[in-house]
């Protein structure tokens, strides 16, 4: 088993309030607030529950996913209390760590906030360090919706073409993203380091300070350690470029999903068109010149770079674990993983992967997604679970070499 000190996952975590949208509640809110079809574009800021309803409906209409800062924390609490919901642990690093623990790969988490819910829900034996000085709780609202969810009220009539999830956040601890002085000592023994969470920051001076502090800590990473950066929707979009500029020369693998890719490129991409994806990868590599780009979508996951095939096992592991979560949520078993691996891959994804590799050559390696028909899928945490599966493969392969 890998020593927990060999895998460091950061840099923030949180408590999530997870809920599943239903038409009845949304239709009631559309009527109460007088929301019209002409308003269905995502508000720049969410300052009220009404803004929250407009934002959610705009995503449901196109089957999209996203993350947003919410100026009014009370609006998230009010909305959550309209639905049955459960408290879980969130943040890419925390969800990845929980999965890795279940797969027998322990890790050390860097947290910015700890409370009794976090202590209760973290797997037994999980190691963590915390930059916070007192217990704090700033729940994130996580909204899931199923494909074919239909909302009809007033002049609104929208049907979700895909299942997806939305994240709404007002979290001072993750906005500050303080780093504990222990981080460098932990990184000195690490073989795998995950960076995520800076998307929640909102102050440029604080962001630049954290980048400088993180670079100082990262200088203690051993030679051969793999640093994986997972992208996210930035609450202040301009900060994405500042983070890349500060860290790209220290990142081995840069991961992102289809929503983030399309936001960067400023257009919708046909995810099953090898020609369009090949062009998108060329553009992304110019924008994000990391040694390896990892792009994970609902149809496939790929690595793009000089040594793309190096990541084949990690891509497959991430794809398998995301599919298991999609089918079974948190309560999967080893038998579920074995059964999933026996399932067929999506035929259109298999064709896409073959054609993309033929078109681009050995700079790309693509793992097709599985053919799954799930009436009530889990859409929360799929990207985080992909990252956890990917890093599990890296940790296991590096036990004797890092």
């Amino acid at each position: 088993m890998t020593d927990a000190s060999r895998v460091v996952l950061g840099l923030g975590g949180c408590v999530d309030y997870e809920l599943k949208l239903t038409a009845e509640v949304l239709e009631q809110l559309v009527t109460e607030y007088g929301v019209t079809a002409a308003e269905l574009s995502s508000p720049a800021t969410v300052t009220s529950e009404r803004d929250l309803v407009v934002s959610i409906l705009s995503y449901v209409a196109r089957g999209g996913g996203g993350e947003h800062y919410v100026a009014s924390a009370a609006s998230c609490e009010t909305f959550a209390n309209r639905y049955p919901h459960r408290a879980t642990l969130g943040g890419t690093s925390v969800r990845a760590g929980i999965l890795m623990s279940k797969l027998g790969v322990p890790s050390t988490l860097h947290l910015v906030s700890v409370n009794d819910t976090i202590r209760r829900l973290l797997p037994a034996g999980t190691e963590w360090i915390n930059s916070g000085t007192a217990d704090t709780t700033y729940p994130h609202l996580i909204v899931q919706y199923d494909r074919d969810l239909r909302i009809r009220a007033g002049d609104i009539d929208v049907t979700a073409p895909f299942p997806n999830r939305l994240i709404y956040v007002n979290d001072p601890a993750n906005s500050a993203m303080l780093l504990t002085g222990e981080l460098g000592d932990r990184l000195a023994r690490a073989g795998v380091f995950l960076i995520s969470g800076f998307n929640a920051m909102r102050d440029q001076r604080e962001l630049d300070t954290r980048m400088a502090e993180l670079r100082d800590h990262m200088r203690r990473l051993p030679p051969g350690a793999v640093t994986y950066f997972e992208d996210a929707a930035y609450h202040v979009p301009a900060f994405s470029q500042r983070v890349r500029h500060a860290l790209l020369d220290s990142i081995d693998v840069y991961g992102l999903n289809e929503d983030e890719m399309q936001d960067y490129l400023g257009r919708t991409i046909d995810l099953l068109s090898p020609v369009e994806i090949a062009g998108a990868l060329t553009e992304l590599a110019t924008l994000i010149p990391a040694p390896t780009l990892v792009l994970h979508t609902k149809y496939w996951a790929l690595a793009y770079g000089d040594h793309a095939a190096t990541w084949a096992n990690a891509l497959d592991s991430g794809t398998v674990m995301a599919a298991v979560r999609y089918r079974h949520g948190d309560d999967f078993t080893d038998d579920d993983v074995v059964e999933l691996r026996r399932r067929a891959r999506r035929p259109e994804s298999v064709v896409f992967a073959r054609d993309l590799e033929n078109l681009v050559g050995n700079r790309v390696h693509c793992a097709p997604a599985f053919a799954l028909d799930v009436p009530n899928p889990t859409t929360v945490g799929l990207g985080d679970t992909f990252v956890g599966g990917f890093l599990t493969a890296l940790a296991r392969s590096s036990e004797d070499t890092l």
Side-chain angles (χ1 to χ4, degrees):
M1 177 182 289
T2 305
D3 185 338
S5 67
R6 304 295 288 168
V7 179
V8 178
L9 307 176
L11 290 152
C14 60
V15 174
D16 286 341
Y17 285 169
E18 292 186 18
L19 60 86
K20 179 72 70 75
L21 291 179
T22 60
E24 181 181 6
V25 173
L26 274 177
E27 288 169 353
Q28 178 183 342
L29 290 172
V30 167
T31 300
E32 286 182 6
Y33 286 125
V35 178
T36 65
E39 298 179 78
L40 297 192
S41 60
S42 186
T45 58
V46 177
T47 60
S48 65
E49 188 182 32
R50 187 183 193 282
D51 287 346
L52 191 61
V53 172
V54 172
S55 175
I56 289 169
L57 287 172
S58 72
Y59 278 106
V60 170
R62 64 181 188 272
E67 177 171 343
H68 291 275
Y69 171 72
V70 179
S72 167
S75 65
C76 286
E77 193 88 20
T78 299
F79 189 84
N81 287 334
R82 295 182 184 276
Y83 288 88
H85 61 272
R86 64 176 186 141
T88 62
L89 299 188
T92 294
S93 54
V94 174
R95 286 191 185 276
I98 291 171
L99 172 74
M100 295 175 75
S101 175
K102 193 162 185 176
L103 297 177
V105 177
S107 61
T108 298
L109 298 174
H110 179 288
L111 302 174
V112 295
S113 174
V114 173
N115 50 60
D116 287 342
T117 302
I118 290 176
R119 294 186 186 95
R120 174 172 56 85
L121 294 180
L122 281 177
T126 299
E127 293 189 25
W128 50 268
I129 52 179
N130 177 35
S131 63
T133 58
D135 279 20
T136 54
T137 304
Y138 306 107
H140 295 198
L141 176 63
I142 312 296
V143 177
Q144 295 186 86
Y145 61 89
D146 292 335
R147 183 180 60 195
D148 296 329
L149 172 68
R150 188 176 185 185
I151 312 300
R152 290 180 291 179
D155 69 342
I156 289 175
D157 187 351
V158 299
T159 301
F162 307 105
N164 219 317
R165 62 90 183 101
L166 305 167
I167 305 171
Y168 294 94
V169 180
N170 183 307
D171 185 340
N174 277 280
S175 292
M177 195 54 69
L178 297 175
L179 304 181
T180 174
E182 297 178 62
L183 180 58
D185 290 340
R186 298 289 182 152
L187 292 182
R189 303 190 297 275
V192 175
F193 178 39
L194 169 66
I195 303 173
S196 65
F198 287 111
N199 62 300
M201 295 195 70
R202 299 184 56 78
D203 183 280
Q204 181 175 311
R205 182 175 296 179
E206 285 190 350
L207 177 69
D208 292 344
T209 298
R210 296 298 173 271
M211 294 297 98
E213 293 170 347
L214 180 59
R215 288 184 64 90
D216 284 342
H217 288 299
M218 290 175 66
R219 290 189 179 97
R220 301 191 61 189
L221 281 164
V226 176
T227 299
Y228 183 112
F229 181 96
E230 180 65 10
D231 210 337
Y234 279 74
H235 299 183
V236 181
F239 285 5
S240 173
Q241 185 174 3
R242 298 188 77 85
V243 171
R244 292 198 304 273
H245 179 75
L247 298 180
L248 266 176
D249 65 348
S250 302
I251 293 168
D252 299 298
V253 180
Y254 190 107
L256 69 167
N257 65 24
E258 65 257 47
D259 295 321
E260 292 141 11
M261 172 190 70
Q262 291 173 126
D263 283 345
Y264 287 140
L265 299 181
R267 65 182 187 275
T268 299
I269 305 292
D270 182 349
L271 298 178
L272 291 173
S273 167
V275 173
E276 287 195 37
I277 293 298
L281 290 173
T282 299
E283 290 182 57
L284 277 176
T286 300
L287 180 68
I288 308 171
T292 300
L293 290 174
V294 165
L295 179 57
H296 46 94
T297 79
K298 57 179 167 284
Y299 295 118
W300 41 261
L302 64 79
Y304 181 75
D306 287 339
H307 306 287
T310 302
W311 311 100
N313 188 46
L315 287 170
D316 186 68
S317 176
T319 300
V320 167
M321 297 318 304
V324 170
R325 180 173 180 80
Y326 184 81
R327 292 196 73 209
H328 300 285
D330 294 319
D331 301 322
F332 70 88
T333 65
D334 290 345
D335 288 342
D336 292 329
V337 177
V338 172
E339 189 272 338
L340 190 284
R341 285 189 175 277
R342 295 195 186 108
R343 286 181 166 264
R345 306 285 175 140
R346 297 179 72 135
E348 67 272 34
S349 299
V350 172
V351 172
F352 167 85
R354 180 199 65 205
D355 290 348
L356 181 69
E357 291 176 358
N358 287 338
L359 180 63
V360 176
N362 59 13
R363 283 185 58 77
V364 70
H365 182 86
C366 187
F370 289 86
L372 301 174
D373 185 8
V374 182
N376 296 296
T378 296
T379 55
V380 172
L382 298 181
D384 305 336
T385 301
F386 172 87
V387 172
F390 191 101
L391 297 182
T392 294
L394 293 190
R396 286 172 172 167
S397 67
S398 66
E399 284 181 344
D400 299 322
T401 58
L402 292 180

